Amino acid sequence: MTPRQSSGRRLVPAYLATGGRARPSRNTLDRLTLLHGVDMPITSEVRPEEHRILELLQPGALSLAEVAAHLHLPVSVVKVLVADLVDAGRLHARPPIPEAEQFDRQILERVLDGLRSLKC
């Protein structure tokens, strides 16, 4: 984790966690993207912030926003870190499941009416 002062402010700016980069290598990441780690040993070439992400994902999947909250980092910074981990093959990222389509109420009412007529 990034060190903090007693006042809660960061001692090191968050963008330094990304090496000063502001944009991820891929633009497919969303705050609701589901992340899960790959069963791969963590080596010394993994930066501390990336190491923490991989540790967070060992028990199971989390959304990108949840990872950012656990790390106390902005989502934009975590997107850069996650993109690096995905590029390195250490992480899988899956887009969020789209909202279920709404059912047509009239069709459901007709089905219900049909079922009621069978009962009589």
Side-chain angles (χ1 to χ4, degrees), residues 11 46 50 77:
L11 295 174
V46 176
E50 294 173 339
V77 170

Side-chain angles (χ1 to χ4, degrees), residues 2-11:
T2 307
R4 291 180 175 267
Q5 293 175 341
S6 60
S7 66
R9 286 188 32 213
R10 290 188 181 285
L11 295 174

Side-chain angles (χ1 to χ4, degrees), residues 53-114:
I53 291 171
L54 295 172
E55 284 179 341
L56 282 170
L57 296 173
Q58 281 179 352
L62 291 172
S63 72
L64 195 139
E66 289 172 313
V67 171
H70 281 290
L71 295 177
H72 304 287
L73 288 171
V75 171
S76 58
V77 170
V78 175
K79 280 183 183 182
V80 175
L81 297 171
V82 164
D84 291 347
L85 289 168
V86 170
D87 292 343
R90 295 185 171 278
L91 199 64
H92 290 296
R94 185 178 61 76
I97 298 170
E99 285 187 38
E101 293 181 32
Q102 297 294 319
F103 293 103
D104 184 1
R105 185 175 176 91
Q106 289 178 338
I107 291 175
L108 292 175
E109 287 176 359
R110 283 190 235 149
V111 169
L112 185 59
D113 290 342

